[in-house]
Amino acid sequence: MLDDNNAPRILIDVKHMSLKARITYYRKVKNKGIPIIASHGGCSGWSNQGNPSIIHEATKKFLSVNINFHDFEFKEIAKSKGIFGIQFDERRIGRKPYVRKHIKNKTGNDLLLGASFLIWNQIQHIAQVLDNTNLDAWDIQSIGRDFDGIVNCVAGIYTYLDFAVLEPLLKKHARDFLSTSAGQGLRTKNKISPDEIVDRFLRGNALRFLEEWFV
């Protein structure tokens, strides 16, 4: 599938690989100009299988299962100029107590604010991991809706029609983060505007990736 001697290579999605298979794949494509695609997934909150993330309280927020992705994987994806689709699925987007805290028994704007914050947490965590390794922080995150829709959508965010509401809320979360000490501590190259961060997530990164590898 990766051989491009006689035809364009078929890029492989690592989403449904086991962690062991993913690690094998990362080694196989390393430094070969092949982008790593994870079409839909979430953060595990761990640096690798044996060590929690250095990002503050990550293990308390995220679902620590191997179907979710560890910090070292985000680095491999970024170095390969790949793409990571954040999965809008309540089963994957966080630990149950953390998810419930933000959306349970909430309605209207409060529900949407909590749901969008769960999504923002994923965007922010990946950015902090990449920034810590001196990589571009905001270039791999995109929408990961699976090929036929999410099974358990985050409450309040069900279809693309809800993105009109999601976008300004994500910008609010981005502004809030950039005003914190962690946001202020980002490397200069990663201190971009909230509008640019959210535009890359909702549109720009996916379009760039498609134009580079599929046009």
Side-chain angles (χ1 to χ4, degrees), residues 147-165:
F147 295 107
D148 54 359
I150 295 298
V151 177
N152 294 99
C153 294
V154 176
I157 311 295
Y158 301 111
T159 75
Y160 78 95
L161 296 175
D162 297 311
F163 290 178
V165 176

Side-chain angles (χ1 to χ4, degrees), residues 43-62 64 69-72 74-75 121 124-130 132:
C43 304
S44 73
W46 287 72
S47 178
N48 51 45
Q49 272 193 300
N51 298 287
S53 174
I54 64 170
I55 307 303
H56 182 58
E57 294 193 336
T59 55
K60 296 182 180 180
K61 298 177 182 179
F62 302 120
S64 300
F69 289 72
H70 303 322
D71 291 356
F72 82 90
F74 300 127
K75 298 171 189 176
N121 272 340
Q124 175 186 317
H125 179 81
I126 295 169
Q128 289 181 273
V129 167
L130 298 181
N132 189 60

